[in-house]
Amino acid sequence: MTSSDNSKIHLTEIVHIEFAERSYDIHIGASLLDATNLFDGLPQASVAVIVSNTTIAPIYAARLQASLQGRYKTIHTIVLPDGEAYKTWQTLNLIFDDLLKYSCDRKTTLFALGGGVVGDMTGFAAASYMRGVPFVQVPTTLLAQVDSSVGGKTGINHPLGKNMVGAFYQPQLVLCDLSTLNTLPVRELSAGLAEVIKYGPIADMVFFDWIEANIDALLARDPAALAHAVKRCCEIKAYVVGQDEREAGLRAILNFGHTFGHAIEAGLGYGAWLHGEAVGCGMVMAAQLSQRLGLVDAAFVARLTALIKKAGLPTVAPALALTAQTNADRYLELMRVDKKAEAGEIKFILINQPGQCVVQTAPDALVREVIAACS
Ligand code: NAD
Ligand code: GLY
């Protein structure tokens, strides 16, 4: 797909994700919201529920509903408040309230129409409503298309820690409609690019070279560039989570930048910085820590930092407290509640050599140096 007049063509790239009987396909293409045939393989059910939010539902819910009409007798739509600040137990309960109000049964299929927040919450609702109902991811942000809709991590935030309550629960299908990215605010596009860039240093430096060469096209939402980026990211993620669904080992590499990033998100208050912004800055911090541990050289850190900056992302860490000492204390305190921490020891995802990760602890003194250098 190279032209921008492809809005009515359902050309699809398919990335398969292998989980034995829970395997599924990720479809990537333009105008997939209107491609009714893609739902053919879903489990039989009479009721579908679209879960979306106040921003996305008015733009896209009617189109998805029209596509589902032939397959389901009844289609309900649940509209949640928009924002990371609402990725909470209270909002999750709104989904359960409506599912019960509509007498939804065990076959009811949920459709998560939105970004990562809607996707993570709908997935968790699907994992737990009546102990599990089928669900489909229809991601509408770049971040959700390249990362959060794939691989089955679902959940909500807790005031004390990001994504602390949730479940691994795989969708039946993922539909990445690239045309939906046309309405995405520019700040959100940049946030998604953080997760795109992430796949380079952790797994594929050829892809990193490609991102560097195509960053302007990606920022300009060139359809071919976006299609390639989404496909390559999904391929890498499908490989990683196919090897290690529950993050016993390899999957941790997908959290490069997230240990520092989650501290930024929780420390500033959810929603102050976008998840992708926090991850972008977190990758700079994790790369600096890798350098201080002698794993990569300054040239690599400079190259990664330049690309993150070019993508429109912050590279200077925000202050979480007033003095340098209390700021570092706060970062360390928040990072100790990270899911990868063991007995209070923080596990960092570091770059061993460009394209390859190592997961290890680091002396607090070095982490403090990084926080000071990045502030
Ligand atoms: P988001 O879901 O908050 O969406 C960003 C904003 O864009 C929202 O205001 C949303 O309403 C709006 N929006 C979405 N699609 C739009 C469109 N097509 N047009 C116009 N506006 C649109 O944020 P996100 O960046 O998509 O996701 C971030 C979340 O994903 C975080 O909570 C993060 O923890 C989670 N996440 C989860 C995983 C996972 O593996 N489950 C991976 C990465 C991130
Ligand atoms: N985004 C991290 C993961 O899916 O494991």
Side-chain angles (χ1 to χ4, degrees), residues 53-56 59-60 82-84 87 114-120 137 139-144 147-155 157 162-163 179-185 188 191-192 195 198 237 251 258 262 265 274-276:
N53 73 21
T54 48
T55 304
I56 304 150
I59 321 178
Y60 296 114
D82 182 8
E84 186 74 38
K87 193 177 166 184
V117 171
V118 165
D120 281 11
Q137 289 274 17
T140 61
T141 63
L142 180 60
L143 186 142
D147 193 352
S148 64
S149 64
V150 174
K153 277 191 182 174
T154 74
N157 298 328
K162 171 89 181 147
N163 292 336
S179 323
T180 61
L181 302 181
N182 291 329
T183 55
L184 198 61
E188 300 291 349
E195 301 279 16
K198 171 187 83 176
K237 183 149 188 187
R251 186 168 180 162
H258 287 58
H262 284 171
E265 286 188 89
L274 301 179
H275 174 72

Side-chain angles (χ1 to χ4, degrees), residues 19-75:
F19 287 119
E21 75 288 352
R22 294 174 296 119
S23 301
Y24 54 94
D25 285 336
I26 304 158
H27 292 255
I28 302 159
S31 293
L32 298 190
L33 280 178
D34 309 314
T36 50
N37 58 317
L38 295 180
F39 305 110
D40 287 350
L42 292 177
Q44 286 300 327
S46 57
V47 180
V49 178
I50 298 170
V51 183
S52 193
N53 73 21
T54 48
T55 304
I56 304 150
I59 321 178
Y60 296 114
R63 273 174 64 197
L64 180 57
Q65 175 152 5
S67 296
L68 297 174
Q69 216 90 54
R71 187 172 176 81
Y72 299 93
K73 273 199 202 118
T74 311
I75 301 162

Side-chain angles (χ1 to χ4, degrees), residues 101-138:
K101 190 172 84 189
Y102 299 139
S103 303
C104 292
D105 61 21
R106 281 189 158 156
K107 290 190 169 167
T108 300
T109 304
L110 307 191
F111 289 79
L113 176 66
V117 171
V118 165
D120 281 11
M121 281 198 294
T122 307
F124 190 28
S128 39
Y129 183 70
M130 294 199 174
R131 302 202 178 92
V133 294
F135 90 110
V136 173
Q137 289 274 17
V138 189

Side-chain angles (χ1 to χ4, degrees), residues 173-314:
L173 171 73
V174 180
L175 283 192
C176 298
D177 184 335
L178 299 167
S179 323
T180 61
L181 302 181
N182 291 329
T183 55
L184 198 61
V186 66
R187 192 177 161 200
E188 300 291 349
L189 184 75
S190 290
L193 287 173
E195 301 279 16
V196 173
I197 292 168
K198 171 187 83 176
Y199 288 102
I202 66 167
D204 183 354
M205 286 304 285
V206 173
F207 183 48
F208 188 81
D209 294 343
W210 180 89
I211 303 167
E212 280 184 328
N214 289 276
I215 190 69
D216 290 330
L218 289 165
L219 285 164
R221 300 174 208 232
D222 174 79
L226 286 172
H228 178 73
V230 173
K231 179 165 182 263
R232 186 66 194 127
C233 294
C234 287
E235 282 170 351
I236 297 171
K237 183 149 188 187
Y239 173 78
V240 171
V241 301
Q243 303 286 310
D244 177 23
E245 181 181 8
R246 290 181 170 248
E247 205 168 304
L250 179 68
R251 186 168 180 162
I253 69 170
L254 299 172
N255 287 312
F256 174 54
H258 287 58
T259 311
F260 287 104
H262 284 171
I264 292 172
E265 286 188 89
L268 289 178
Y270 298 118
W273 275 32
L274 301 179
H275 174 72
E277 292 171 338
V279 168
C281 188
M283 288 193 288
V284 173
M285 299 172 87
Q288 289 231 7
L289 185 57
S290 308
Q291 186 196 342
R292 280 177 164 73
L293 286 162
L295 301 171
V296 289
D297 60 18
F300 169 75
V301 179
R303 195 179 158 199
L304 177 63
T305 306
L307 183 58
I308 290 169
K309 206 170 189 171
K310 187 111 195 266
L313 293 159

Side-chain angles (χ1 to χ4, degrees), residues 308-357:
I308 290 169
K309 206 170 189 171
K310 187 111 195 266
L313 293 159
T315 53
V316 175
L320 303 182
L322 286 179
T323 67
Q325 169 79 25
T326 55
N327 189 40
D329 290 346
R330 183 72 180 130
Y331 268 93
L332 284 163
E333 178 187 34
L334 286 163
M335 288 194 290
R336 286 192 224 286
V337 244
D338 188 83
K339 288 191 288 309
K340 290 176 296 301
E342 284 174 21
E345 272 207 320
I346 307 163
K347 295 277 177 64
F348 291 96
I349 316 302
L350 301 168
I351 302 303
N352 200 10
Q353 61 181 60
Q356 193 181 303
C357 283

